[in-house]
Amino acid sequence: ISGEPLLVLDIDVQACGGSPDFTRNIRIYQSCGVSQYWIFYPKDEILVVRVLNASGQFSAPVVYGEGDLIRSPGSGTDISVSSLLRSRR
């Protein structure tokens, strides 16, 4: 496999709270050129998305909740955050 991943998804089984692991992961994924970093918080029913900008830095986090759609990188497919929530119930 060559090139940078388009997307990395982490799932936090605890409540949303800025885990040190995710802070470390942001630095690692940013340096590797990962296009999008998603963190799914099932207990809080949110998805936090960071997108790599042209200067190689992740954007401020964007928070998505039930009923929101997010476009998957590469395929351009819309993913319903509600469908992620249903899969855990």
Side-chain angles (χ1 to χ4, degrees):
I1 299 175
S2 63
E4 299 82 20
L6 293 175
L7 170 71
V8 171
L9 170 65
D10 278 332
I11 300 173
D12 188 344
V13 295
Q14 304 299 317
C16 184
S19 165
D21 286 341
F22 296 129
T23 302
R24 185 192 74 224
N25 291 352
I26 287 170
R27 288 192 310 272
I28 292 169
Y29 299 150
Q30 200 169 252
S31 68
C32 292
V34 172
S35 297
Q36 292 190 21
Y37 179 32
W38 296 8
I39 306 172
F40 181 51
Y41 297 95
K43 286 188 177 182
D44 295 315
E45 300 189 346
I46 61 171
L47 177 68
V48 176
V49 175
R50 291 178 176 262
V51 177
L52 199 67
N53 62 30
S55 64
Q57 302 293 310
F58 278 123
S59 63
V62 178
V63 179
Y64 296 89
E66 190 165 3
D68 291 334
L69 293 175
I70 183 164
R71 185 155 301 242
S72 172
S75 71
T77 303
D78 287 334
I79 298 171
S80 163
V81 175
S82 298
S83 69
L84 295 174
L85 296 172
R86 276 193 305 273
S87 68
R88 71 168 192 91
R89 290 181 180 151

